[in-house]
C-alpha cells in the first residue's frame, strides 16, 4: 500500500512539473535557449508517464475494450476542446492579429484540420495535436505488445523511429491523426511501461540529489546543442540527441519529483492537466487580445519580455480554476437530471 502511495505522489509531481513546463514553453517572452531546454523534455515526459501508468491489466484487455477506453479518455476531450476552441475562433478571427493571419482561411479549414489530427492544421488550437497523437501512440504500443515482449517492443519501435527519421529527411510528409508524432512518442510510452516497476522504490534523497547534480549539466548541454524541438511538427533535430536529451530530462524530473511531497496546489494541477493542456492556449489568445485591443500593448513588446512569460503562465493555469468549477457544476446538474428522469 505504501509503495502505491509513493508511486502516485511522484507521478503527481512529474505531471505538475511537466504541465507547467508546457504552459511556460508556450508563453510569449521566452528566449530560444529556455525554449530548447523546456521542449527537450516536457512532451516526452507525458508520454513516459502515460507508459508508467499503463498497467498489465489494461494492456491485456481485448482490442475493443482498449480502443473504446482510449476513445473515451482522449477522443471525446479532443472533440470537446476543439468545439470550444472553434467557437472562440469564429468569434475572434476577424479581430486583432487574427484578421490578417486568417484572412484567407475558410470556416471549413479548421474542421478539416480536426479530422486530420495534424497539429499544424488544427488552426483554432494547435496544442490539441497531443490528443490524437497520444491516442495513436497508445494503440501502436498496445498492438505491438500482442506480438512482442516489452523489451523487444521498445527495441524494435526505437529502430523503426530512427528509420522513419531518416526517411523523413528525404520525403517530408505528415501522417494523419498524429501517427508521425506517435512514432516518436511511443518510444517513451514503451520506456515508461518497462520502468514503472523500477520507479516504485524507497526514497533515497542523497541518490536523487546525486543524479540531479550529475545529469543536469549534461541535459542542458545536449538540449542547447540540439536546439528547440517540436514534436507537434515531428521535428526532433538530431534523432540521437533528441532521445538522449528527452530520456535524461525525464530521469531528472523523476528524481526531482521524489524529493518532495505534493501539496494541494501541485496535486490540483496534476489532477487537471487534461484541462490545462488545451485551455491555456485559448486563455493566452484572450489575454493577447485584451492587451492589444484595450491596452494597446504591441506584440513585439510582449514577445520580448520574460515578465510576460510569467504573467501569461499564471493566467493560463489560473483561469482553469473557474472553468473546472463551472464544468463540474454543469456535469453534476446534467447527471442529476439524467438520474431523476431515469434515463
Amino acid at each position: 500500500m505504501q509503495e502505491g502511495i509513493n508511486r502516485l505522489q511522484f507521478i503527481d509531481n512529474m505531471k505538475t512539473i511537466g504541465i507547467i513546463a508546457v504552459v511556460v514553453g508556450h508563453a510569449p517572452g521566452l528566449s530560444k535557449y529556455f525554449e530548447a531546454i523546456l521542449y527537450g523534455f516536457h512532451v516526452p515526459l507525458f508520454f513516459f508517464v502515460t507508459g508508467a501508468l499503463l498497467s498489465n491489466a489494461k494492456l491485456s484487455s481485448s482490442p475493443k475494450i482498449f480502443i473504446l477506453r482510449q476513445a473515451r479518455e482522449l477522443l471525446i476531450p479532443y472533440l470537446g476542446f476543439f468545439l470550444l476552441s472553434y467557437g472562440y475562433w469564429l468569434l475572434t478571427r476577424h479581430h486583432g492579429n487574427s484578421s490578417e493571419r486568417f484572412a484567407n482561411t475558410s470556416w471549413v479549414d479548421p474542421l478539416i484540420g480536426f479530422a486530420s489530427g495534424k497539429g499544424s492544421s488544427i488552426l483554432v488550437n494547435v496544442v490539441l495535436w497531443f490528443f490524437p497523437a497520444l491516442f495513436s501512440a497508445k494503440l501502436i504500443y498496445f498492438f505491438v505488445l500482442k506480438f512482442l515482449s516489452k523489451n523487444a517492443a521498445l527495441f524494435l519501435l526505437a529502430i523503426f523511429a530512427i528509420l522513419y527519421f531518416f526517411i523523413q529527411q528525404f520525403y517530408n510528409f505528415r501522417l494523419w491523426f498524429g501517427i508521425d508524432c506517435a512514432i516518436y512518442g511511443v518510444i517513451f510510452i514503451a520506456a515508461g511501461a518497462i520502468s514503472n516497476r523500477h520507479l516504485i522504490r524507497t526514497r533515497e534523497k542523497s541518490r536523487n540529489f546525486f543524479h540531479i547534480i550529475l545529469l543536469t549539466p549534461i541535459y542542458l548541454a545536449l538540449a542547447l546543442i540540439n536546439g528547440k524541438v517540436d514534436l507537434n511538427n515531428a521535428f526532433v533535430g538530431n534523432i540521437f540527441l533528441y532521445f538522449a536529451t528527452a530520456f535524461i530530462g525525464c530521469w531528472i524530473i523523476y528524481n526531482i519529483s521524489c524529493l518532495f511531497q505534493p501539496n494541494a496546489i501541485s496535486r490540483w494541477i496534476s489532477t487537471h492537466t487534461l484541462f490545462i493542456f488545451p485551455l491555456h492556449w485559448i486563455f493566452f489568445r484572450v489575454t493577447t487580445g485584451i492587451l492589444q485591443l484595450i491596452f494597446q500593448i504591441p506584440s513585439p513588446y510582449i514577445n520580448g519580455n520574460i515578465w510576460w512569460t510569467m504573467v501569461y503562465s499564471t493566467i493560463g493555469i489560473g483561469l482553469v480554476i473557474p472553468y473546472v468549477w463551472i464544468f463540474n457544476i454543469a456535469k453534476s446538474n446534467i447527471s442529476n437530471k439524467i438520474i431523476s428522469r431515469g434515463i
Side-chain angles (χ1 to χ4, degrees):
M1 181 65 179
Q2 186 61 36
E3 287 184 345
I5 293 173
N6 288 339
R7 177 175 182 269
L8 290 176
Q9 286 176 345
F10 73 73
I11 288 292
D12 280 345
N13 290 338
M14 292 176 75
K15 290 172 64 179
T16 299
I17 295 171
I19 196 62
I20 291 175
V22 167
V23 174
V24 173
H26 289 156
L30 206 62
S31 73
K32 63 179 182 180
Y33 303 108
F34 279 111
E35 285 184 335
I37 292 170
L38 293 177
Y39 277 68
F41 78 86
H42 62 28
V43 171
L45 181 67
F46 277 103
F47 281 103
F48 183 84
V49 169
T50 296
L53 294 175
L54 274 178
S55 65
N56 289 329
K58 292 179 181 178
L59 293 171
S60 60
S61 61
S62 69
K64 179 181 178 180
I65 292 176
F66 187 82
I67 293 172
L68 289 176
R69 180 183 292 124
Q70 301 314 312
R72 184 178 67 250
E73 294 178 356
L74 294 170
L75 298 189
I76 291 178
Y78 177 52
L79 173 62
F81 287 120
F82 170 79
L83 293 175
L84 180 65
S85 304
Y86 185 56
Y88 176 75
W89 180 81
L90 289 174
L91 293 173
T92 61
R93 64 182 177 135
H94 297 305
H95 303 283
N97 292 340
S98 297
S99 59
E100 181 178 349
R101 180 184 176 190
F102 298 116
N104 300 317
T105 303
S106 166
W107 64 272
V108 180
D109 292 334
L111 299 176
I112 297 174
F114 167 78
S116 73
K118 301 177 185 177
S120 56
S121 301
I122 309 174
L123 305 175
V124 299
N125 191 340
V126 294
V127 301
L128 293 177
W129 72 270
F130 184 75
F131 288 93
L134 183 58
F135 177 80
S136 297
K138 293 176 81 170
L139 260 60
I140 291 171
Y141 186 62
F142 175 80
F143 284 106
V144 167
L145 281 189
K146 295 301 180 183
F147 305 95
L148 300 171
S149 67
K150 289 184 177 181
N151 291 331
L154 174 59
F155 176 76
L156 290 180
L157 287 169
I159 295 297
F160 183 80
I162 293 171
L163 291 175
Y164 177 75
F165 169 81
F166 286 108
I167 292 173
Q168 224 182 10
Q169 307 311 301
F170 297 98
Y171 305 98
N172 188 18
F173 57 90
R174 298 300 308 271
L175 299 178
W176 280 53
F177 227 65
I179 293 177
D180 47 359
C181 308
I183 289 173
Y184 298 118
V186 71
I187 308 303
F188 303 103
I189 290 179
I194 291 175
S195 303
N196 63 358
R197 62 181 181 272
H198 302 297
L199 296 179
I200 306 172
R201 62 184 65 186
T202 303
R203 297 182 181 184
E204 297 180 12
K205 290 190 176 181
S206 59
R207 181 173 58 187
N208 296 138
F209 275 118
F210 174 75
H211 286 169
I212 295 168
I213 294 171
L214 175 66
L215 295 176
T216 297
I218 299 174
Y219 173 81
L220 294 175
L222 293 177
L224 294 175
I225 291 172
N226 199 32
K228 178 184 175 181
V229 297
D230 186 7
L231 196 56
N232 171 27
N233 291 306
F235 175 74
V236 297
N238 180 294
I239 185 67
F240 301 105
L241 285 177
Y242 173 70
F243 282 133
T245 303
F247 278 120
I248 292 173
C250 289
W251 187 249
I252 291 172
I253 299 303
Y254 162 71
N255 281 278
I256 293 174
S257 299
C258 290
L259 294 177
F260 60 94
Q261 301 287 333
N263 55 35
I265 295 176
S266 64
R267 193 174 290 110
W268 186 93
I269 292 174
S270 171
T271 304
H272 295 92
T273 52
L274 181 68
F275 290 93
I276 297 171
F277 201 98
L279 288 176
H280 79 274
W281 190 264
I282 301 177
F283 297 149
F284 281 6
R285 304 284 76 78
V286 172
T287 303
T288 299
I290 292 173
L291 291 175
Q292 292 179 346
L293 297 177
I294 298 179
F295 296 99
Q296 302 296 310
I297 298 177
S299 293
Y301 176 73
I302 296 174
N303 293 327
N305 194 321
I306 195 171
W307 289 106
W308 287 111
T309 305
M310 292 183 281
V311 171
Y312 270 73
S313 300
T314 303
I315 291 173
I317 296 176
L319 288 183
V320 175
I321 298 174
Y323 179 91
V324 169
W325 180 71
I326 295 171
F327 175 84
N328 287 334
I329 291 177
K331 180 180 178 181
S332 177
N333 289 337
I334 293 173
S335 298
N336 290 336
K337 288 181 180 180
I338 292 175
I339 294 173
S340 64
R341 293 178 183 179
I343 301 178

